């Protein structure tokens, strides 16, 4: 299961929250925060896979969306352009470092 759609709540206060975490003074959060976030992400992926397997065993069907078609629809609706304006070039470049080019 993919939870990439859960970004909308996070983005509303991301900049202010991120700025509170830049305690090193160099513009990046502490490395332990990043390592912890990556570990938590892996845990969630494993839990989601386990839950999906359990639910499929009980007869529930899961549909997988075509990520490329979804991204194209977002691009056509100018979603990425609006979000880049909201976050700014620096934050957008940081995100695209992990997601690849968006829009």
């Amino acid at each position: 299961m993919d939870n990439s759609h859960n970004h909308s709540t996070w983005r509303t206060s991301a900049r202010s929250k991120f700025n509170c975490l830049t305690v090193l003074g160099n513009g990046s959060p502490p490395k332990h925060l990043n390592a912890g976030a990556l570990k938590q992400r892996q845990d969630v992926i494993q839990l989601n896979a386990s839950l999906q397997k359990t639910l499929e065993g009980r007869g529930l069907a899961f549909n997988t969306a075509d990520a490329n078609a979804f991204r194209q629809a977002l691009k056509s609706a100018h979603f990425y352009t609006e979000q880049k304006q909201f976050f700014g070039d620096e934050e957008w470049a940081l995100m695209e470092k992990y997601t690849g080019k968006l829009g």
Side-chain angles (χ1 to χ4, degrees):
M1 288 183 354
D2 182 297
N3 288 327
S4 59
H5 64 280
N6 289 333
H7 71 283
S8 60
T9 303
W10 177 83
R11 76 171 175 84
T12 58
S13 62
R15 185 174 290 157
S16 64
K17 300 298 183 204
F18 182 80
N19 289 338
C20 293
L21 297 173
T22 57
V23 296
L24 298 178
N26 64 0
S28 63
K31 67 179 179 179
H32 299 296
L33 178 65
N34 286 340
L38 291 173
K39 183 176 179 344
Q40 181 182 21
R41 182 176 297 158
Q42 193 59 39
D43 288 345
V44 169
I45 289 169
Q46 290 172 350
L47 287 169
N48 284 345
S50 173
L51 177 60
Q52 182 171 341
K53 186 175 179 180
T54 299
L55 293 174
E56 285 174 336
R58 295 179 183 172
L60 188 65
F62 285 81
N63 298 317
T64 303
D66 178 354
N68 290 329
F70 188 73
R71 282 186 174 186
Q72 186 57 44
L74 290 173
K75 183 178 180 179
S76 297
H78 306 289
F79 176 80
Y80 294 127
T81 303
E82 293 169 3
Q83 295 306 300
K84 184 176 180 179
Q85 289 173 351
F86 176 81
F87 283 108
D89 291 337
E90 186 177 346
E91 290 88 349
W92 193 259
L94 254 172
M95 183 183 67
E96 283 188 332
K97 178 178 162 184
Y98 298 98
T99 64
K101 187 79 172 153
L102 297 171

